[in-house]
Amino acid sequence: MCSRIEDGEQIEVSSCEDLNTLTFANISNEEDDPDSVFILNRPFDCGNGVDSLLLYAANYVVDQDAQGVFENGVVFTDEVLSDINRMEITELTSEYLSVEYVQDGKRVQESYVQYP
């Protein structure tokens, strides 16, 4: 994560929080199995000897129109550790992702850059 805004207020993130990663994964070859999403804290440079920590996990499906075209939304089910329910993709390139969602009653905007 490279930035976080909650209800319009910029949240300072430490270098350890900057190492949070958002990973969308297709971990099954079965067509009916849902895809998964994970948010992990990867404190490699924090000097505290802490291993990666799972911050969020869920299954997801993407919003699509009748022709299968992505409509900028991701719906989460079977959430673990937090309730996000739905995430809007506001910008997506091969190296940058910007998302918006509501968590604990707060509108959250986050951006991520490609993990090295």
Side-chain angles (χ1 to χ4, degrees), residues 51-65:
D51 291 332
S52 295
L53 176 66
L54 179 67
L55 302 175
Y56 177 78
N59 293 327
Y60 76 92
V61 295
V62 296
D63 286 342
Q64 301 178 38
D65 67 12

Side-chain angles (χ1 to χ4, degrees), residues 1-2 13-22 39-46 52 55 112 115-116:
M1 172 177 40
C2 61
V13 291
S14 72
S15 60
C16 292
E17 290 169 324
D18 286 346
L19 297 174
N20 287 357
T21 59
L22 175 63
I39 299 176
L40 295 170
N41 179 259
R42 299 180 182 271
F44 301 124
D45 297 327
C46 297
S52 295
L55 302 175
Y112 293 82
Y115 188 70

Side-chain angles (χ1 to χ4, degrees), residues 1-3 20-22 39 95-99 101 110-114:
M1 172 177 40
C2 61
S3 73
N20 287 357
T21 59
L22 175 63
I39 299 176
E95 296 181 0
Y96 181 80
L97 171 67
S98 178
V99 298
Y101 57 91
E110 290 180 335
S111 60
Y112 293 82
V113 293
Q114 182 179 14

Side-chain angles (χ1 to χ4, degrees), residues 3-105:
S3 73
R4 181 178 176 97
I5 299 170
E6 294 180 2
D7 287 338
E9 182 179 330
Q10 181 73 42
I11 304 298
E12 289 295 321
V13 291
S14 72
S15 60
C16 292
E17 290 169 324
D18 286 346
L19 297 174
N20 287 357
T21 59
L22 175 63
T23 304
F24 290 89
N26 180 345
I27 56 177
S28 173
N29 291 329
E30 299 297 322
E31 202 168 301
D32 293 337
D33 285 347
D35 295 328
S36 300
V37 62
F38 306 94
I39 299 176
L40 295 170
N41 179 259
R42 299 180 182 271
F44 301 124
D45 297 327
C46 297
N48 57 11
V50 175
D51 291 332
S52 295
L53 176 66
L54 179 67
L55 302 175
Y56 177 78
N59 293 327
Y60 76 92
V61 295
V62 296
D63 286 342
Q64 301 178 38
D65 67 12
Q67 288 76 37
V69 176
F70 178 56
E71 292 191 317
N72 298 337
V74 180
V75 178
F76 300 114
T77 60
D78 302 320
E79 296 174 291
V80 176
L81 301 173
S82 187
D83 289 324
I84 293 175
N85 301 313
R86 179 180 179 78
M87 182 179 281
E88 295 295 324
I89 309 299
T90 55
E91 187 174 348
L92 177 63
T93 71
S94 62
E95 296 181 0
Y96 181 80
L97 171 67
S98 178
V99 298
E100 291 185 14
Y101 57 91
V102 175
Q103 183 178 30
D104 300 327

